[in-house]
Amino acid sequence: MIILFSPSESKTKLDEFGSICSDSFIFNKLYEKRMEAVNIYNNYINSHKADELLDIFGIKDIEEIKQYQNDIFKSATCTAIKRYSGVSYTYLAFNSLNEDAQKYILDNVIIFSNLFGPVSANDKLPFYKLKQGAKIENFAFETYYKKVFSNSLDEYINSQDIVDLRAGFYEKFYKINKPYLTFKFIKNGKVVSHFAKAYRGILLKTMAENNIIKSCDILSCLPAALEIIDKNKHGLKEEIVLNVLD
């Protein structure tokens, strides 16, 4: 089972391990390619004034800039699943899961970091900030990672089932080339947009707690607050439409 997941703008400052190295990431053979992108970011944030960094960080308060202007190659790290702290991760509540459920997530989840590209939930990430879709001197991270990592992702996924819990933007990092399952959330007759992050976190938690191996099996153990109201197929994508009851 492979579950594709989004990162979050919010991050913890947790430090568990030393600085990044080739062993910090999945796809070791592409470590140098990954670092080419990271180096563009690192050089930029450490060679520009604070007011010039507001846009790529996606923040308005110039006083916040200092906490992100560090040499990312020397910064301490923690596992990716613990680095992110946004809405999806709050509802996932990784630290509250039992050991088996945590292992399921560490083994099966690929997160698409705006800076580091596709990483496993168990990869080691430093504290950083890069706004979704931000470019540095016309360098588009999502375009770069799609070009460099897509073949390796195809090989890694191979014959495994795929559940895509990414927000739409992160499809720019990787196009799935085999049948996969995804979800749309409806509440009071309207598509849920921002708060869909919460339901993606809930679904990932449900999958981990039930040790879902086949993507279709998640449909038999949905939380009580979610009910299936439709199923649609668009090419390789099977979309399950869920009505939010709470």
Side-chain angles (χ1 to χ4, degrees), residues 16-207:
E16 296 180 308
F17 308 102
S19 56
I20 57 176
C21 65
S22 59
D23 292 333
S24 300
F25 301 98
I26 197 171
F27 308 125
N28 300 73
K29 67 181 181 180
L30 293 174
Y31 176 72
E32 295 300 330
K33 287 291 186 180
R34 195 192 297 271
M35 290 305 104
E36 287 180 19
V38 176
N39 199 50
I40 289 172
Y41 166 88
N42 198 57
N43 288 340
Y44 189 86
I45 67 169
N46 288 295
S47 63
H48 285 71
K49 296 178 181 178
D51 60 351
E52 298 175 307
L53 300 175
L54 291 171
D55 185 57
I56 70 160
F57 288 152
I59 56 180
K60 297 180 180 180
D61 185 354
I62 200 168
E63 293 301 316
E64 292 184 43
I65 295 292
K66 294 178 182 178
Q67 65 181 316
Y68 301 113
Q69 278 188 296
N70 301 306
D71 186 342
I72 205 162
F73 295 106
K74 297 179 180 178
S75 301
T77 62
C78 74
T79 51
I81 199 68
K82 294 181 181 179
R83 178 62 71 197
Y84 297 108
S85 59
V87 174
S88 292
Y89 294 85
T90 298
Y91 279 81
L92 169 61
F94 178 81
N95 289 332
S96 72
L97 299 175
N98 65 38
E99 184 176 346
D100 288 341
Q102 289 188 352
K103 186 177 186 303
Y104 177 95
I105 289 171
L106 295 175
D107 289 346
N108 295 292
V109 173
I110 297 291
I111 302 168
F112 288 81
S113 160
N114 289 309
L115 176 57
F116 292 96
V119 300
S120 82
N122 199 32
D123 283 359
K124 312 300 187 293
L125 302 185
F127 182 69
Y128 73 95
K129 186 76 168 176
L130 181 63
K131 183 178 69 175
Q132 175 183 295
K135 294 182 180 181
I136 295 180
E137 298 176 347
N138 295 319
F139 180 85
F141 289 86
E142 64 274 16
T143 302
Y144 176 82
Y145 281 118
K146 182 177 183 180
K147 178 181 179 181
V148 174
F149 279 78
S150 286
N151 286 341
S152 292
L153 278 162
D154 286 342
E155 292 173 5
Y156 181 76
I157 292 169
N158 195 6
S159 61
Q160 299 182 80
D161 278 16
I162 305 175
V163 174
D164 188 4
L165 295 180
R166 296 176 295 176
F169 174 81
Y170 294 96
E171 295 174 11
K172 296 181 179 181
F173 282 76
Y174 174 63
K175 179 183 178 181
I176 304 170
N177 292 308
K178 57 172 294 185
Y180 65 98
L181 191 69
T182 189
F183 296 87
K184 179 189 289 186
F185 305 95
I186 306 291
K187 187 170 186 176
N188 299 324
K190 298 181 180 179
V191 176
V192 178
S193 53
H194 175 73
F195 211 66
K197 297 176 182 179
Y199 300 115
R200 294 186 188 110
I202 290 169
L203 284 179
L204 179 54
K205 182 177 183 178
T206 300
M207 293 178 70

